[in-house]
Amino acid sequence: MREWQVKRRERTRQLIELGGLVAKAGLVELTEDDRAALYGAFLTVAAKLRGPDGAQALVLFRRKGRRAFEAEQAEDKPSLG
């Protein structure tokens, strides 16, 4: 497979995964699939990350996301009791 095809597949996979996160967070329903609202929200997050407290915001976002992933994994595991 050619290098550009590999890169294109990797990029496509990344975009699909990112779209999945948008859906998983419930943003599609909350905005009634309003692309302008979603884009505005992403721009707001990007501005916060570029701001003076961006590093701290990233730490908080990351922590919240990891906890959500862990909670989801815990829900998916069958209980042994």
Side-chain angles (χ1 to χ4, degrees), residues 67-79:
R67 286 181 182 159
F69 278 137
E70 289 168 2
E72 185 178 291
Q73 285 180 341
E75 289 176 9
D76 290 345
K77 289 183 182 177
S79 59

mmCIF file of all heavy atoms in Angstrom, residues 67-79:
data_model
loop_
_atom_site.group_PDB
_atom_site.id
_atom_site.type_symbol
_atom_site.label_atom_id
_atom_site.label_comp_id
_atom_site.label_asym_id
_atom_site.label_seq_id
_atom_site.Cartn_x
_atom_site.Cartn_y
_atom_site.Cartn_z
ATOM 1 N N ARG A 67 -11.747 9.568 33.704
ATOM 2 C CA ARG A 67 -12.726 9.027 34.653
ATOM 3 C C ARG A 67 -13.959 8.505 33.921
ATOM 4 O O ARG A 67 -14.501 7.461 34.282
ATOM 5 C CB ARG A 67 -13.118 10.092 35.668
ATOM 6 C CG ARG A 67 -12.034 10.352 36.685
ATOM 7 C CD ARG A 67 -12.466 11.382 37.690
ATOM 8 N NE ARG A 67 -11.391 11.642 38.635
ATOM 9 C CZ ARG A 67 -11.299 12.731 39.365
ATOM 10 N NH1 ARG A 67 -12.233 13.675 39.287
ATOM 11 N NH2 ARG A 67 -10.301 12.899 40.194
ATOM 12 N N ALA A 68 -14.398 9.226 32.911
ATOM 13 C CA ALA A 68 -15.570 8.783 32.145
ATOM 14 C C ALA A 68 -15.277 7.483 31.408
ATOM 15 O O ALA A 68 -16.107 6.569 31.390
ATOM 16 C CB ALA A 68 -16.009 9.876 31.172
ATOM 17 N N PHE A 69 -14.092 7.378 30.799
ATOM 18 C CA PHE A 69 -13.713 6.137 30.116
ATOM 19 C C PHE A 69 -13.659 4.976 31.115
ATOM 20 O O PHE A 69 -14.134 3.882 30.836
ATOM 21 C CB PHE A 69 -12.361 6.273 29.423
ATOM 22 C CG PHE A 69 -12.399 6.933 28.078
ATOM 23 C CD1 PHE A 69 -11.440 7.876 27.738
ATOM 24 C CD2 PHE A 69 -13.348 6.617 27.129
ATOM 25 C CE1 PHE A 69 -11.445 8.486 26.494
ATOM 26 C CE2 PHE A 69 -13.363 7.208 25.879
ATOM 27 C CZ PHE A 69 -12.404 8.155 25.563
ATOM 28 N N GLU A 70 -13.052 5.220 32.279
ATOM 29 C CA GLU A 70 -12.942 4.171 33.294
ATOM 30 C C GLU A 70 -14.324 3.742 33.796
ATOM 31 O O GLU A 70 -14.566 2.551 33.994
ATOM 32 C CB GLU A 70 -12.074 4.652 34.453
ATOM 33 C CG GLU A 70 -10.609 4.759 34.086
ATOM 34 C CD GLU A 70 -9.782 5.505 35.123
ATOM 35 O OE1 GLU A 70 -10.337 5.931 36.172
ATOM 36 O OE2 GLU A 70 -8.570 5.685 34.874
ATOM 37 N N ALA A 71 -15.214 4.696 34.014
ATOM 38 C CA ALA A 71 -16.563 4.372 34.465
ATOM 39 C C ALA A 71 -17.296 3.553 33.411
ATOM 40 O O ALA A 71 -18.010 2.595 33.742
ATOM 41 C CB ALA A 71 -17.333 5.652 34.782
ATOM 42 N N GLU A 72 -17.103 3.913 32.166
ATOM 43 C CA GLU A 72 -17.733 3.166 31.079
ATOM 44 C C GLU A 72 -17.211 1.743 31.013
ATOM 45 O O GLU A 72 -17.976 0.791 30.835
ATOM 46 C CB GLU A 72 -17.481 3.884 29.754
ATOM 47 C CG GLU A 72 -18.177 3.271 28.581
ATOM 48 C CD GLU A 72 -17.913 4.054 27.317
ATOM 49 O OE1 GLU A 72 -18.418 5.184 27.215
ATOM 50 O OE2 GLU A 72 -17.205 3.528 26.445
ATOM 51 N N GLN A 73 -15.903 1.581 31.184
ATOM 52 C CA GLN A 73 -15.317 0.236 31.164
ATOM 53 C C GLN A 73 -15.831 -0.588 32.335
ATOM 54 O O GLN A 73 -16.095 -1.774 32.191
ATOM 55 C CB GLN A 73 -13.795 0.315 31.210
ATOM 56 C CG GLN A 73 -13.172 0.739 29.909
ATOM 57 C CD GLN A 73 -11.655 0.816 29.993
ATOM 58 O OE1 GLN A 73 -11.088 0.885 31.079
ATOM 59 N NE2 GLN A 73 -11.015 0.847 28.845
ATOM 60 N N ALA A 74 -15.982 0.038 33.504
ATOM 61 C CA ALA A 74 -16.489 -0.663 34.675
ATOM 62 C C ALA A 74 -17.924 -1.129 34.446
ATOM 63 O O ALA A 74 -18.304 -2.218 34.883
ATOM 64 C CB ALA A 74 -16.399 0.228 35.907
ATOM 65 N N GLU A 75 -18.712 -0.331 33.752
ATOM 66 C CA GLU A 75 -20.093 -0.712 33.443
ATOM 67 C C GLU A 75 -20.146 -1.894 32.484
ATOM 68 O O GLU A 75 -21.051 -2.713 32.562
ATOM 69 C CB GLU A 75 -20.842 0.464 32.811
ATOM 70 C CG GLU A 75 -21.159 1.580 33.760
ATOM 71 C CD GLU A 75 -21.809 2.766 33.068
ATOM 72 O OE1 GLU A 75 -22.165 2.650 31.880
ATOM 73 O OE2 GLU A 75 -21.960 3.816 33.710
ATOM 74 N N ASP A 76 -19.176 -1.953 31.578
ATOM 75 C CA ASP A 76 -19.162 -3.014 30.565
ATOM 76 C C ASP A 76 -18.694 -4.363 31.115
ATOM 77 O O ASP A 76 -18.999 -5.399 30.540
ATOM 78 C CB ASP A 76 -18.262 -2.624 29.393
ATOM 79 C CG ASP A 76 -18.849 -1.499 28.562
ATOM 80 O OD1 ASP A 76 -20.056 -1.212 28.715
ATOM 81 O OD2 ASP A 76 -18.102 -0.883 27.770
ATOM 82 N N LYS A 77 -17.945 -4.346 32.225
ATOM 83 C CA LYS A 77 -17.436 -5.591 32.795
ATOM 84 C C LYS A 77 -18.545 -6.283 33.576
ATOM 85 O O LYS A 77 -19.239 -5.671 34.369
ATOM 86 C CB LYS A 77 -16.266 -5.317 33.730
ATOM 87 C CG LYS A 77 -15.010 -4.882 33.028
ATOM 88 C CD LYS A 77 -13.891 -4.704 33.998
ATOM 89 C CE LYS A 77 -12.633 -4.221 33.303
ATOM 90 N NZ LYS A 77 -11.557 -3.966 34.261
ATOM 91 N N PRO A 78 -18.699 -7.577 33.361
ATOM 92 C CA PRO A 78 -19.698 -8.305 34.141
ATOM 93 C C PRO A 78 -19.243 -8.442 35.601
ATOM 94 O O PRO A 78 -18.064 -8.621 35.873
ATOM 95 C CB PRO A 78 -19.760 -9.685 33.469
ATOM 96 C CG PRO A 78 -18.478 -9.826 32.737
ATOM 97 C CD PRO A 78 -18.004 -8.417 32.410
ATOM 98 N N SER A 79 -20.171 -8.312 36.501
ATOM 99 C CA SER A 79 -19.826 -8.435 37.908
ATOM 100 C C SER A 79 -19.716 -9.921 38.286
ATOM 101 O O SER A 79 -20.406 -10.771 37.728
ATOM 102 C CB SER A 79 -20.865 -7.748 38.785
ATOM 103 O OG SER A 79 -22.132 -8.326 38.575
#
